[in-house]
Amino acid sequence: MGLTFEVVPSDADESAITAKSPARLTRLLSRLKAESAVGSGATVIGADTVVALGGRIYGKPHTEERAIEMLSEMQGRWHSVYTGVTVACGGRSVTFSVRSRVKFKPLTDGEILSYVKQTNPLDKAGAYGIQDGRVVEKYRGSYSNIVGLPKEKLAKVLARLGVINGNC
């Protein structure tokens, strides 16, 4: 999009944020992250991604055991990836979420263990990254959403707020 940016990890406490809907959860978390940095005077983009399968919401696994569990549950199946985004600029903000669908390849226990040991998926929602090409068979929707930031929708919001043309 031709924008200069700086990545600043949020220190907002996400533990109190709950929602039954993964789309709502990601919108709430993105808003919390954006609001934690709004006082900086810059345009702020807060984002959060989760994976959902069968009514369960998967965030980051934090342990290898949990990563193996998540990948085992998703192997060979379709699941949804939700990213919530909040853009705050000039006293205005827009919050949205995007959903994509992903189907995992059928994986053996050995392939799952190897994946966890070789890719360090502990900081990724659902314990995987689509960009490594190892566990995803196919997807529907926005590839960049699955990576963690839905560029297509974000570009439209940034244009609407005037960020792209420098009016915010």
Side-chain angles (χ1 to χ4, degrees):
M1 288 180 252
L3 300 172
T4 302
F5 63 90
E6 177 184 355
V7 176
V8 180
S10 171
D11 61 359
D13 180 11
E14 300 176 32
S15 64
I17 305 296
T18 60
K20 292 186 182 200
S21 155
R24 178 161 169 68
L25 177 63
T26 60
R27 288 191 305 268
L28 290 170
L29 289 169
S30 75
R31 190 174 309 130
L32 175 69
K33 290 176 178 181
E35 287 173 354
S36 73
V38 162
S40 68
T43 297
V44 175
I45 301 170
D48 197 82
T49 302
V50 300
V51 168
L53 172 68
R56 292 185 66 190
I57 297 174
Y58 300 90
K60 296 174 183 176
H62 300 294
T63 67
E64 286 188 359
E65 293 77 18
R66 182 67 181 127
I68 290 167
E69 183 181 310
M70 287 180 180
L71 295 167
S72 296
E73 291 170 3
M74 291 188 289
Q75 68 88 21
R77 300 175 69 186
W78 282 96
H79 62 272
S80 296
V81 177
Y82 294 85
T83 301
V85 179
T86 297
V87 179
C89 173
R92 299 176 294 156
S93 69
V94 173
T95 300
F96 63 90
S97 63
V98 173
R99 174 183 176 237
S100 299
R101 300 275 294 150
V102 176
K103 184 177 184 198
F104 266 22
K105 298 172 184 176
L107 303 166
T108 66
D109 291 347
E111 289 170 325
I112 291 170
L113 181 60
S114 174
Y115 183 82
V116 169
K117 294 292 186 186
Q118 293 174 5
T119 65
N120 190 24
L122 303 186
D123 67 339
K124 295 173 178 62
Y128 75 96
I130 190 172
Q131 55 274 45
D132 64 40
R134 292 183 56 187
V135 296
V136 173
E137 181 177 304
K138 56 186 164 183
Y139 70 93
R140 295 192 179 120
S142 168
Y143 177 87
S144 65
N145 179 57
I146 300 163
V147 172
L149 191 64
K151 293 188 313 185
E152 305 86 358
K153 175 84 181 221
L154 177 59
K156 291 176 185 176
V157 170
L158 292 174
R160 191 170 80 218
L161 288 172
V163 175
I164 290 178
N165 61 18
N167 290 330
C168 185

